[in-house]
Amino acid sequence: MLLDAVWLSVRLSAVTTAILLVIGLPLAWWLATTCSRFKPAVEALTALPLVLPPTVLGFYLLVLMSPDTPLGAAWVRLTGDTLTFSFAGLVVASILYSLPFAVQPMQTAFSGVGTGLMEAAAMLGADRLDAFRTIALPLARRGMLTAGVLTFAHTLGEFGVVLMVGGNIPGRTRVISIEIFTAVETLDYRTAHVLSAGLLVVSFIVLTFVYVLNRGRARG
Amino acid sequence: MAEVLSFDLSLRRDGFALSLTERIPLDGVTAVTGPSGAGKTTLLRCLAGLERGASGSVRLGDDVLQDETRFVPPHARGVGYVFQEARLFPHMSVARNLAYGARRRGVAQERIEEIVRLLDLAPLLDRRPGGLSGGESRRVALGRVLASQPRVLFLDEPMTGLDSARKAEIMPHIVRATHGLGLPALLVSHAEDEIQTLADRVLKIEEGGHAGWGRVPVRLPARVVEHCDHGAVLVVGEARLILPLPASAERNWALAVPPDGALVSTGPPGPGNALASLQARVGAVPGDGTVALEVAGHTVAWPWPEGRIVPPPGSDVWFTILKVYPRPTG
């Protein structure tokens, strides 16, 4: 049971991180370089999960993904399973909930690259995609690593959104934090201790890694 | 017949408007001068395609780079742009910086090697931009652009922020790039020494508009005949002068004489701090503020102060040189 929860959390974190790095990259680049008047609104939407209670986000997602809605019904037709109370639903919820942790470090890194080097690359014959690939991406690699690590760690410790969207189904939606909650509810303090200490240590290691990475960036 | 860079551009931004129509021959160096905020850099950026808000047309030779229906992106314009800052790619070595543009434009490795020799970059090839001095960085930035073999070179105050020693270090390299390689260039600058040394014509702009063509610097040919403790001894006409040039200096030079760099007198000059005195002859007086002087076997249009009496054509005068800006010619 305990290992099931750990494995489920790791899987959820890995899938969420991979997807967020892919979709967060163009969004972060756009936010770092655009002068669009829609930028503040998009930035606010991206940062919303930082201030919104997870239960609020979870509630809206639960409503949006229920089989009665077009989205939920389409998913059922496509896969034969509901989006709510499933691993796929948890992934969707985690992507939205961890979005700022992926986008903001990459946006900061891209802003640090600046337009000057991109213009220099263009004047040397590089088109925009080429300049992005050869200049912006390598220079922003630390920001991308920070984004990946923070997204993974943040998803690993998710509770509210997961509980709202996925419930508490052992082996299916019961992630580590919900396992801890269940253990405490049933007075199984040993399990709660083991899992809590594990999350604490992982979080500490991850944050130390991020700070070491950023110190390297400040020096380099 | 040299190709022409022609443009009819306008750009409107907060508190600034650029509106310029011009035809610039693509041979030698055209200096673009004017006060700060006149729009010199903005003009270069518009021509390079870096200002998407600019409307109008730009033609480089027979190629339309921009008009009502067309906008060739910066990477496809064939323009080499040396920015005010070096803008080297910090994650690449100097060698990779040099190869960046060359690879994209299909330039042969021999060209990169030629540029490395020309700008003396060999000792820097394995270094990262972070470890270079200001002068070295500018040199690499120049080399990187030259290695990409552009059709025209834009130099946007390429020596700004450098002290006089660093400037002296990089100036010969810019001369070699523009005149040695025969690459036409637009040079944005308001430094007199840069304009006098490099420019073959001077376009003046003010408040985003055309303010006329400036005078072409007067240049006299000279050649190094020997070296001494103080530099090189050059012969110009029948006179000899000493300039602080290195022993490795080229043999032939063009000495730009700025308007305040020489005195014209009817009698021989007295003892003083002049570099050299040459006998000259007054030629035509075209009435444009200049007097034609035959000096050192050349006829030059020498700026003549308003109100000062011009000796009759055919008169022998003395041309006393006080200051020159030397440029190697090979």
Side-chain angles (χ1 to χ4, degrees):
Chain A
M1 286 288 275
L2 198 139
L3 280 179
D4 283 348
V6 172
W7 175 234
L8 180 65
S9 289
V10 169
R11 263 199 311 149
L12 178 63
S13 299
V15 172
T16 302
T17 303
I19 294 174
L20 264 181
L21 282 180
V22 172
I23 61 174
L25 193 74
L27 179 59
W29 175 251
W30 184 79
L31 286 171
T33 54
T34 187
C35 300
S36 166
R37 59 198 165 102
F38 298 113
K39 181 184 170 180
V42 177
E43 264 184 318
L45 270 176
T46 308
L48 215 49
L50 290 175
V51 292
L52 209 60
T55 42
V56 173
L57 185 65
F59 169 68
Y60 281 123
L61 283 172
L62 185 65
V63 171
L64 189 72
M65 297 192 299
S66 86
D68 303 333
T69 64
L71 175 70
W75 184 262
V76 171
R77 272 199 306 277
L78 207 66
T79 65
D81 195 6
T82 59
L83 201 48
T84 47
F85 309 108
S86 70
F87 182 75
L90 292 191
V91 171
V92 173
S94 301
I95 286 170
L96 289 173
Y97 188 51
S98 293
L99 189 65
F101 291 86
V103 171
Q104 288 184 353
M106 289 195 281
Q107 184 185 344
T108 306
F110 285 139
S111 297
V113 173
T115 54
L117 294 180
M118 299 301 284
E119 285 182 352
M123 297 317 301
L124 292 166
D127 62 31
R128 291 173 70 158
L129 188 63
D130 186 8
F132 178 74
R133 191 177 56 78
T134 54
I135 307 299
L137 271 188
L139 289 174
R141 64 189 185 280
R142 280 194 172 129
M144 292 172 63
L145 196 55
T146 302
V149 170
L150 284 180
T151 303
F152 189 91
H154 187 247
T155 310
L156 204 60
E158 247 179 69
F159 178 72
V161 176
V162 171
L163 192 62
M164 293 294 284
V165 173
N168 185 357
I169 308 169
R172 186 170 160 94
T173 62
R174 186 184 285 181
V175 294
I176 294 175
S177 55
I178 295 174
E179 185 72 58
I180 294 170
F181 176 74
T182 310
V184 172
E185 289 283 284
T186 55
L187 301 178
D188 180 4
Y189 276 34
R190 189 179 160 277
T191 301
H193 266 305
V194 169
L195 290 173
S196 297
L199 270 188
L200 186 74
V201 170
V202 168
S203 301
F204 176 75
I205 291 171
V206 161
L207 284 176
T208 307
F209 178 75
V210 168
Y211 284 121
V212 167
L213 202 67
N214 283 330
R215 197 170 63 161
R217 177 163 52 193
R219 278 182 186 163
Chain B
M1 181 83 177
E3 281 190 313
V4 171
L5 171 67
S6 60
F7 52 86
D8 177 6
L9 282 169
S10 58
L11 174 72
R12 202 164 276 282
R13 270 203 305 237
D14 292 339
F16 176 77
L18 178 90
S19 180
L20 267 168
T21 304
E22 198 51 75
R23 285 170 59 83
I24 297 177
L26 287 177
D27 66 340
V29 175
T30 304
V32 182
T33 68
S36 295
K40 305 183 292 292
T41 294
T42 307
L43 171 64
L44 251 56
R45 290 179 59 83
C46 290
L47 294 171
L50 295 174
E51 295 288 344
R52 288 305 296 253
S55 60
S57 63
V58 180
R59 289 177 74 98
L60 181 60
D62 294 331
D63 298 326
V64 177
L65 301 184
Q66 182 176 337
D67 61 14
E68 298 79 22
T69 57
R70 220 171 149 199
F71 186 91
V72 176
H75 73 270
R77 291 200 172 200
V79 170
Y81 200 127
V82 179
F83 296 90
Q84 287 179 20
E85 325 80 37
R87 299 195 187 185
L88 299 178
F89 305 134
H91 57 302
M92 297 180 189
S93 66
V94 167
R96 284 187 61 210
N97 265 280
L98 289 173
Y100 190 89
R103 218 180 63 204
R104 277 158 184 80
R105 295 213 166 118
V107 176
Q109 179 65 25
E110 288 76 31
R111 168 75 175 190
I112 302 177
E113 286 162 12
E114 183 192 354
I115 299 300
V116 167
R117 271 195 307 275
L118 189 78
L119 302 187
D120 192 21
L121 295 171
L124 309 178
L125 288 177
D126 293 330
R127 287 168 61 185
R128 289 286 181 126
L132 301 177
S133 69
E136 288 169 339
S137 298
R138 305 296 175 94
R139 203 147 36 105
V140 175
L142 177 64
R144 184 177 66 171
V145 169
L146 295 178
S148 72
Q149 216 160 23
R151 290 174 66 186
V152 57
L153 181 65
F154 287 1
L155 297 160
D156 188 2
E157 302 195 42
M159 286 173 276
T160 192
L162 295 180
D163 58 33
S164 54
R166 297 286 84 74
K167 224 167 156 173
E169 173 196 325
I170 194 157
M171 184 77 95
H173 296 296
I174 294 183
V175 172
R176 274 177 220 134
T178 51
H179 295 86
L181 293 175
L183 186 61
L186 260 63
L187 165 75
V188 163
S189 176
H190 29 217
E192 195 204 5
D193 56 342
E194 292 172 22
I195 294 166
Q196 289 288 336
T197 306
L198 297 167
D200 296 300
R201 67 190 67 80
V202 180
L203 172 65
K204 292 180 178 175
I205 60 173
E206 266 174 35
E207 294 178 0
H210 185 114
W213 286 91
R215 288 219 169 86
V216 179
V218 168
R219 289 204 174 84
L220 300 174
R223 69 190 156 84
V224 174
V225 288
E226 59 179 309
H227 289 273
C228 63
D229 292 345
H230 304 292
V233 180
L234 292 96
V235 170
V236 50
E238 75 282 10
R240 291 160 78 92
L241 64 138
I242 297 174
L243 292 177
L245 301 174
S248 58
E250 286 85 345
R251 186 172 157 75
N252 296 308
W253 292 75
L255 306 181
V257 188
D260 63 344
L263 296 172
V264 179
S265 57
T266 48
N273 293 325
L275 288 170
S277 281
L278 297 161
Q279 282 196 304
R281 178 162 293 167
V282 177
V285 183
D288 61 352
T290 66
V291 169
L293 287 180
E294 287 170 34
V295 55
H298 284 259
T299 303
V300 298
W302 184 250
W304 200 264
E306 202 178 328
R308 196 174 155 202
I309 296 167
V310 182
S315 310
D316 287 329
V317 291
W318 290 88
F319 188 76
T320 305
I321 300 172
L322 307 170
K323 181 166 70 174
V324 293
Y325 295 101
R327 175 169 105 188
T329 54

